[in-house]
Amino acid sequence: MLIQRPDYLNFLIEWKEQQIIKVVTGIRRCGKSTLFDLFRDYLYSIGVEEVQIISVNFEEAENDELCDHQTLYRYVKSKMQPDKMNYIFLDEIQHVKDYQKAVDSLFVKKNADVYITGSNAYFMSGELATLLSGRFVELKMLPLSFREYVSAFDEPVSKEELYRNYVYNSSFPYTVGLDSRRNIHAYLDGIYNTVVLNDIVARKKIQDPLMLKSVIHFMFDNIGNLCTVKKIADSMTSAGRKISNHTVENYLEGIIDSLLMYRVSRYDIKGKEYLQLQDKYYLADMGLRYYLLGTRDVDHGRILENVVYLELIRRGYRVYIGKIGAVEVDFVAQDYDGNTEYYQVAWTVRDEKTLERELIPLDSIADHNPKCLLTMDNDPPVSHNGIRQVFVLDWLLDR
């Protein structure tokens, strides 16, 4: 089943045939290859012929011989139609040594429209920015949004039940078609171990994978909590696993680079400055957290906060943790035009004291930018002195 990914598909359509390399990045199995399938279907629907589309997936064994950049270039060139536009899809291109040489050589041809994917953030944001400087646009993919997940089901099921399945079973697209928790667990086990061993251990040359897994376990258990390198190192040491701050930094870099987790910095709203200490970390998929930690001591509020963070970055915002005096705003979201919105996230605010506590950070902000309190309370929208309170599942589905 092909789940529609309209926002990502529209990005490719908007950049179609423009003289720039289209790069799609994202954690493994988030749907990059399927997005190419959807885009190829779109191209066929507007009259593009099959001979104009050249696709190579470098994770398929039959394409091993193309992992040399010169061989790849000669192969693609031999397939190109001289008098037509050619749409070239190179999937998981990080497997090609000196891939940029082949991509550059294809990019300069006026009848070549080049699309590439890769799974590793360091490869994309670091190496690619250097090797293809100024010649690419990047589409950052995530696993399914709640709206995309809901679109995969025809049965009349409540939003609350769909949300519970969404966070518990996983937002990776393939899991939607799996019919048992055992199969979902096995699939997530494969993703987790591949990311850890291939995207972190191998790339960072980590000598102690068990220690790395202990740090990942700690980070999964502390989504949405303020963390420092020292706090993580101290926690490992107190558990009998002594580790240096430098090693923790190296592990965190690998975790972030693999797109397994996202680091979010703090922003002083009043002072208009970014704060260097105590970041928060959010996970790419909640199903991975349940896979690794199980269902004990689940903080539903922090999981919801994680879901909201991912949705904000899907919608194109730059997101920070807000600090205003002694209190904290969950998210400061800034769009590309510099407009700012503030979000507070709570599981429920039906208790009056809880509502008051959640409103204090937003009430403390003096500017007139939009402020929103997102909760799982399925109540009619209400305004608290200009602060909108919204049922979060409606917000997640409202695009």
Side-chain angles (χ1 to χ4, degrees):
M1 178 177 62
L2 283 182
I3 299 173
Q4 296 303 308
R5 313 292 299 270
D7 294 334
Y8 298 134
L9 180 60
N10 287 338
F11 178 95
L12 296 184
I13 292 172
E14 288 173 9
W15 286 96
K16 182 176 72 74
E17 296 182 13
Q18 299 208 33
Q19 191 67 15
I20 197 162
I21 302 160
K22 276 66 73 172
V23 180
V24 182
T25 64
I27 189 171
R28 289 175 182 270
R29 304 296 172 251
C30 71
K32 298 184 297 297
S33 298
T34 302
L35 178 63
F36 278 0
D37 290 338
L38 292 168
F39 186 52
R40 283 189 287 264
D41 287 346
Y42 165 79
L43 292 176
Y44 293 137
S45 75
I46 62 170
V48 173
E49 299 174 12
E50 189 171 349
V51 291
Q52 294 175 256
I53 295 177
I54 304 164
S55 300
V56 183
N57 187 332
F58 295 100
E59 290 194 328
E60 296 177 353
E62 58 264 35
N63 293 323
D64 283 352
E65 64 182 22
L66 299 179
C67 288
D68 169 79
H69 74 273
Q70 293 178 327
T71 305
L72 172 62
Y73 173 73
R74 288 194 294 268
Y75 170 81
V76 173
K77 188 168 179 283
S78 71
K79 297 283 186 180
M80 291 178 65
Q81 306 299 303
D83 55 346
K84 296 179 179 179
M85 178 60 71
N86 296 270
Y87 302 89
I88 301 164
F89 298 91
L90 305 176
D91 208 353
E92 302 295 352
I93 199 172
Q94 72 270 14
H95 294 291
V96 179
K97 184 180 179 182
D98 294 329
Y99 59 85
Q100 76 281 0
K101 296 179 180 178
V103 171
D104 266 345
S105 298
L106 295 169
F107 161 73
V108 297
K109 297 184 179 300
K110 294 190 181 301
N111 64 333
D113 194 16
V114 182
Y115 302 79
I116 66 177
T117 76
S119 295
N120 188 279
Y122 176 75
F123 157 69
M124 289 301 173
S125 298
E127 293 177 2
L128 196 69
T130 299
L131 299 173
L132 298 178
S133 177
R135 301 190 294 281
F136 73 98
V137 291
E138 182 179 5
L139 171 59
K140 299 178 180 180
M141 280 194 78
L142 286 161
L144 298 175
S145 68
F146 183 59
R147 185 167 60 97
E148 291 167 339
Y149 182 84
V150 168
S151 74
F153 298 91
D154 296 326
E155 307 85 17
V157 181
S158 71
K159 296 174 186 176
E160 288 85 353
E161 183 176 348
L162 285 166
Y163 173 80
R164 185 165 56 250
N165 294 338
Y166 174 67
V167 297
Y168 181 55
N169 289 336
S170 171
S171 59
F172 283 105
Y174 191 75
T175 61
V176 170
L178 299 178
D179 58 4
S180 72
R181 182 64 191 167
R182 174 182 292 181
N183 290 342
I184 290 171
H185 190 280
Y187 181 74
L188 294 178
D189 181 75
I191 293 176
Y192 174 76
N193 284 294
T194 301
V195 169
V196 170
L197 296 176
N198 290 13
D199 294 342
I200 306 177
V201 171
R203 287 193 63 86
K204 303 294 288 183
K205 298 181 173 58
I206 290 172
Q207 301 300 313
D208 189 351
L210 290 179
M211 177 64 87
L212 169 66
K213 289 186 176 183
S214 294
V215 171
I216 292 173
H217 191 285
F218 176 86
M219 298 304 296
F220 278 27
D221 198 29
N222 282 274
I223 55 170
N225 287 338
L226 290 173
C227 287
T228 64
V229 168
K230 184 178 185 304
K231 177 182 177 181
I232 298 167
D234 289 347
S235 296
M236 293 296 102
T237 301
S238 66
R241 302 293 308 275
K242 187 172 177 58
I243 185 173
S244 69
N245 288 358
H246 174 74
T247 301
V248 170
E249 287 179 349
N250 187 48
Y251 288 0
L252 285 178
E253 185 178 89
I255 293 167
I256 300 304
D257 288 347
S258 72
L259 298 175
L260 189 60
M261 299 192 80
Y262 292 82
R263 178 191 286 120
V264 187
S265 300
R266 293 195 302 157
Y267 177 75
D268 188 325
I269 297 171
K270 188 175 181 180
K272 306 293 184 184
E273 62 180 353
Y274 301 102
L275 305 174
Q276 298 300 316
L277 299 176
Q278 294 189 315
D279 299 322
K280 288 189 178 184
Y281 295 81
Y282 293 99
L283 181 56
D285 170 69
M286 287 295 95
L288 284 172
R289 186 180 189 276
Y290 281 105
Y291 149 79
L292 192 65
L293 305 183
T295 58
R296 292 184 303 165
D297 303 321
V298 174
D299 187 329
H300 295 290
R302 283 197 287 135
I303 289 175
L304 180 61
E305 185 181 314
N306 198 127
V307 170
V308 169
Y309 167 74
L310 294 177
E311 181 62 23
L312 287 170
I313 61 174
R314 279 190 188 94
R315 296 183 183 187
Y317 290 102
R318 294 186 295 273
V319 182
Y320 308 94
I321 310 302
K323 180 181 180 298
I324 180 78
V327 295
E328 184 181 278
V329 178
D330 287 334
F331 299 121
V332 179
Q334 298 176 341
D335 67 17
Y336 291 110
D337 295 321
N339 301 311
T340 301
E341 298 176 4
Y342 303 107
Y343 292 88
Q344 197 74 358
V345 183
W347 185 255
T348 178
V349 292
R350 285 181 175 156
D351 176 78
E352 189 173 334
K353 290 184 178 179
T354 303
L355 174 61
E356 181 181 353
R357 184 181 69 243
E358 296 295 340
L359 291 175
I360 285 174
L362 297 174
D363 272 328
S364 303
I365 302 171
D367 65 43
H368 298 290
N369 291 314
K371 303 168 187 175
C372 187
L373 172 61
L374 299 172
T375 82
M376 281 292 288
D377 298 327
N378 191 358
D379 301 328
V382 63
S383 177
H384 306 281
N385 193 28
I387 299 168
R388 293 187 307 127
Q389 180 182 327
V390 178
F391 180 37
V392 67
L393 300 189
D394 285 344
W395 179 82
L396 289 169
L397 292 170
D398 181 22
R399 283 299 300 275

